[in-house]
């Protein structure tokens, strides 16, 4: 039963991934990718990692829904009414993807796999939390700060208006002069 | 711990959710009849429910070049995600699924509504529908983070992501008492993911119904059902998270769950008719400048208590 489900999800994930490059509409491409990623989340649940699986679904839905806004905004022909191709730099892409596939496949065969655990861990979510907040805590904290400062920095760089535009030359204008008024009225 | 539920609970849970949603629709009909000054009559209850057969036989309308597959997927996703979300909500001692990460599951299903409503706005190939879809995303970005912290807070208090464990951890004191901010944010956000009341912005009258604008027939029925099902599902989830689940004197657990769910649902149905609609750009600042720091501080309280 579980093996059958594994294969169904695996084939569906690959089909969704392939569909991304077959459809002309940006909305369809994005949601084909989302379908593939939801199948990957299902695979993680099947592997006994329910937290990671459900979080992948949660985050990917949010990400893809935000991504579709940008895909529709930036790509030509967002609605797919004219034929277009999602394939660019075909030769280079083929070389890179073949190389990555071979490296990953070689990894599967060459890595010495640990012997199957005799007793399965009772709670993989707990294990994951312990690992993230124990041995890997420095990595996670560094990653978190790098991500946050990147987001704040990128937003500050693209924002044309600074505090002098909002509060005036002496920073004493109240309320602030904003193009769009917010609910707090600062 | 919640007991394993019998197999027919897979059918009973959606049926119960639909019944709660119908109850909410009927209550809303009575409230709006009273607000309009009409005398109380059975017709006030029946009028909104008569929409069901009318929509089922209505002739569907289509604009040129709609994206039918995406539209259908979007319209179906909203009610289906609502039904799937309650699979982890315990009803008394029983839950359809005692999933160990039930809290995250509920959150994931709620986020599926983002995809569903954007697709419902994209599908019909109409400007106002699409504006409605985009409005829901803007609103989602505003309400989602405070809601995530509000959901997380009882999980921290109970030291478990299983919804049954969270309900069982409130033996002494309901989480609503010492996590009032999280409780309020959760109730407030139920209105948001039900895109109703103050959060009816994606379906606003100023854009001719927004995501509802071009839907007709069974599609319109599914989308409006999704709205009420989410209101019922959010109320049902508030009970194990904040109101002690099925705990209570004299009555059995399932009865207490039902009573509490109906009480929360009644509050939300009343509130949705009383509150004005908020624009997403205004709510964004309230959510991120006021609600988000408050929710983080609220999550800190059980974290310190548990440590």
């Amino acid at each position: 039963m579980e093996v059958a489900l594994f294969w169904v999800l695996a084939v569906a994930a690959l089909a969704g991934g392939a569909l991304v490059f077959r459809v002309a509409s940006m909305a369809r491409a994005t949601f084909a990718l989302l379908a593939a990623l939801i199948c990957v989340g299902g695979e993680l649940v099947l592997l006994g990692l329910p937290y990671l699986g459900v979080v992948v679904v949660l985050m990917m839905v949010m990400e893809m829904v935000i991504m579709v806004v940008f895909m529709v905004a930036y790509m030509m022909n967002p609605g797919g009414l004219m034929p277009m191709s999602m394939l660019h730099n075909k030769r280079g892409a083929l070389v890179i993807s073949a190389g990555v596939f071979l490296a990953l496949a070689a990894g599967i065969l060459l890595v010495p796999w640990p012997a199957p655990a005799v007793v399965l861990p009772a709670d993989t979510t707990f294990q994951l939390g312990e690992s993230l907040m124990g041995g890997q805590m420095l990595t996670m904290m560094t990653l978190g700060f790098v991500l946050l400062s990147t987001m704040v920095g990128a937003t500050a760089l693209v924002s044309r208006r600074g505090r002098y535009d909002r509060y005036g030359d002496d920073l004493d204008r109240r309320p602030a002069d904003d193009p769009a008024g917010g609910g707090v009225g600062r | 711990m919640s007991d394993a539920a019998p197999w027919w609970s897979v059918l009973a849970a959606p049926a119960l959710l639909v019944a709660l949603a119908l109850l909410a629709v009927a209550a809303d009909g009575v409230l709006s009849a009273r607000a309009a000054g009409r005398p109380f009559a059975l017709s006030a209850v029946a009028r909104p429910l008569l929409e069901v057969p009318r929509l089922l036989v209505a002739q569907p309308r289509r604009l040129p070049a709609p994206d039918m597959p995406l539209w259908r997927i979007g319209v179906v996703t909203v009610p289906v995600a609502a039904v799937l979300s309650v699979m982890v909500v315990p009803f008394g001692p029983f839950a359809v699924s005692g999933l160990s990460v039930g809290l995250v599951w509920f959150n994931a299903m709620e986020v599926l509504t983002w995809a569903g409503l954007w697709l419902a706005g994209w599908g019909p190939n109409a400007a106002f529908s699409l504006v409605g879809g985009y409005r829901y995303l803007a609103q989602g970005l505003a309400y989602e983070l405070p809601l995530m912290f509000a959901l997380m807070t009882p999980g921290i208090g109970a030291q478990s992501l299983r919804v049954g464990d969270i309900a069982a951890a409130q033996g002494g004191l309901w989480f609503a008492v010492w996590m009032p901010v999280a409780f309020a944010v959760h109730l407030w956000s139920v209105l948001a993911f039900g895109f109703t009341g103050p959060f009816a912005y994606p379906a606003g009258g100023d854009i001719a119904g927004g995501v509802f604008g071009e839907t007709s027939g069974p599609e319109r029925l599914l989308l409006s059902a999704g709205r009420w099902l989410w209101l019922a599902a959010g109320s049902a989830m508030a009970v194990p998270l904040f109101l002690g689940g099925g705990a209570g004197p004299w009555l059995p657990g399932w009865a207490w769950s039902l009573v509490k769910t109906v009480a929360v649902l009644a509050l939300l149905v009343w509130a949705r008719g009383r509150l004005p609609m908020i624009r997403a750009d205004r709510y964004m600042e309230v959510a991120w400048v006021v609600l988000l720091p408050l929710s983080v501080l609220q999550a800190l309280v059980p974290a310190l208590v548990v440590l």
Side-chain angles (χ1 to χ4, degrees), chain B residues 22-116:
Chain B
L22 288 175
L23 191 67
V25 172
D28 185 63
V30 172
L31 281 179
S32 46
R34 208 180 64 170
R38 291 197 296 270
F40 174 76
L42 206 61
S43 66
V45 179
R47 183 170 294 153
L49 298 180
L50 284 178
E51 282 285 285
V52 176
R54 192 187 72 76
L55 286 174
L56 279 176
V57 297
Q59 171 112 31
R61 276 183 293 129
R62 294 272 181 275
L63 290 175
D67 197 335
M68 283 316 290
L70 288 191
W71 193 6
R72 291 242 163 87
I73 292 172
V75 163
V76 171
T77 298
V78 180
V80 167
V83 169
L84 285 179
S85 76
V86 293
M87 292 299 161
V88 295
V89 178
F91 189 66
F94 306 110
V96 177
S97 158
L99 188 66
S100 65
V101 291
L103 203 59
V104 193
W105 171 265
F106 182 84
N107 204 187
M109 291 304 111
E110 173 260 311
V111 167
L112 269 181
T113 316
W114 290 31

Side-chain angles (χ1 to χ4, degrees), chain B residues 160-175:
Chain B
S160 174
L161 292 174
R162 187 180 278 119
V163 186
D165 290 352
I166 296 174
Q170 302 169 57
L173 195 59
W174 285 2
F175 283 165

Side-chain angles (χ1 to χ4, degrees), chain A residues 61-91:
Chain A
V61 172
M62 288 173 90
E63 269 174 37
M64 289 303 130
V65 171
I66 300 302
M67 196 178 89
V68 77
V69 174
F70 289 95
M71 296 285 272
V72 168
Y74 290 147
M75 299 292 275
M76 62 291 203
N77 183 26
L81 296 175
M82 290 172 288
M84 71 166 276
S85 172
M86 287 279 282
L87 302 171
H88 312 287
N89 183 19
K90 287 184 191 171
R91 200 164 299 159

Side-chain angles (χ1 to χ4, degrees), chain B residues 197-265:
Chain B
F199 295 101
Y201 187 58
D206 55 335
I207 47 169
V211 287
F212 282 105
E214 298 300 334
T215 55
S216 54
E219 283 156 9
R220 192 182 183 85
L221 180 65
L222 279 173
L223 208 53
S224 13
R227 174 182 244 187
W228 292 98
L229 287 172
W230 265 122
L231 211 59
S235 313
M237 189 63 174
V239 173
L241 287 191
F242 296 102
L243 299 176
W250 307 308
L251 294 176
W254 61 266
W256 272 116
S257 281
L258 189 62
V259 167
K260 290 173 188 174
T261 306
V262 169
V264 175
L265 189 57

Side-chain angles (χ1 to χ4, degrees), chain A residues 63-151:
Chain A
E63 269 174 37
M64 289 303 130
V65 171
I66 300 302
M67 196 178 89
V68 77
V69 174
F70 289 95
M71 296 285 272
V72 168
Y74 290 147
M75 299 292 275
M76 62 291 203
N77 183 26
L81 296 175
M82 290 172 288
M84 71 166 276
S85 172
M86 287 279 282
L87 302 171
H88 312 287
N89 183 19
K90 287 184 191 171
R91 200 164 299 159
L94 203 62
V95 171
I96 294 173
S97 51
V100 170
F101 178 79
L102 286 179
L104 290 175
I108 295 176
L109 297 175
L110 296 181
V111 165
W113 290 95
V118 184
V119 186
L120 289 175
D123 192 349
T124 50
T125 311
F126 189 78
Q127 262 196 329
L128 180 73
E130 264 194 332
S131 148
L132 288 185
M133 287 293 124
Q136 299 299 327
M137 191 174 200
L138 188 63
T139 324
M140 295 312 290
M141 289 290 137
T142 316
L143 261 181
F145 273 111
V146 169
L147 278 175
L148 183 67
S149 46
T150 310
M151 283 190 279

